[in-house]
Amino acid sequence: MEFNIYNKYKVKVINNYSYQDPETSAPGDINFSEGYDESERIDEGGDFASALACCLLDKDFSEITFGDNKIIIEFFDPTTGESSTLTYILEAV
């Protein structure tokens, strides 16, 4: 995978996440629900690099994987058990 700040990229963003579900949870019995969002946008390489840097600085950041024009970032909040996986699929335009 090659990335530079001078190119424009079509960025597909897939967000899989879990969260505490207040509607089905009870004190002492926390239930989780899962969610999914998907979007697509065109980014300047520098703007995408800045957004990526913000993800890496997030307090819940736990892992990053690169390959096959994908960047996968894992987040986990140990205090709540909530988590998310952001997948960026990049294509130069």
Side-chain angles (χ1 to χ4, degrees):
M1 180 178 144
E2 182 179 312
F3 172 81
N4 71 65
I5 63 169
Y6 304 107
N7 280 347
K8 282 188 178 183
Y9 294 90
K10 180 169 75 170
V11 181
K12 183 175 184 177
V13 183
I14 302 168
N15 184 14
N16 290 296
Y17 56 93
S18 69
Y19 60 95
Q20 290 185 7
D21 188 347
E23 292 182 15
T24 61
S25 295
D29 185 23
I30 299 171
N31 290 317
F32 288 87
S33 289
E34 304 214 353
Y36 175 88
D37 295 317
E38 189 175 310
S39 63
E40 200 169 282
R41 63 180 190 249
I42 302 293
D43 275 354
E44 297 285 340
D47 293 337
F48 179 75
S50 293
L52 186 60
C54 287
C55 288
L56 300 178
L57 292 171
D58 188 279
K59 68 178 181 58
D60 296 329
F61 165 76
S62 63
E63 182 180 324
I64 188 168
T65 306
F66 299 93
D68 298 326
N69 293 336
K70 289 183 185 177
I71 300 173
I72 302 169
I73 304 174
E74 302 280 344
F75 300 90
F76 178 71
D77 183 342
T79 61
T80 65
E82 296 172 319
S83 65
S84 67
T85 301
L86 278 177
T87 302
Y88 294 100
I89 302 171
L90 303 173
E91 180 183 326
V93 293

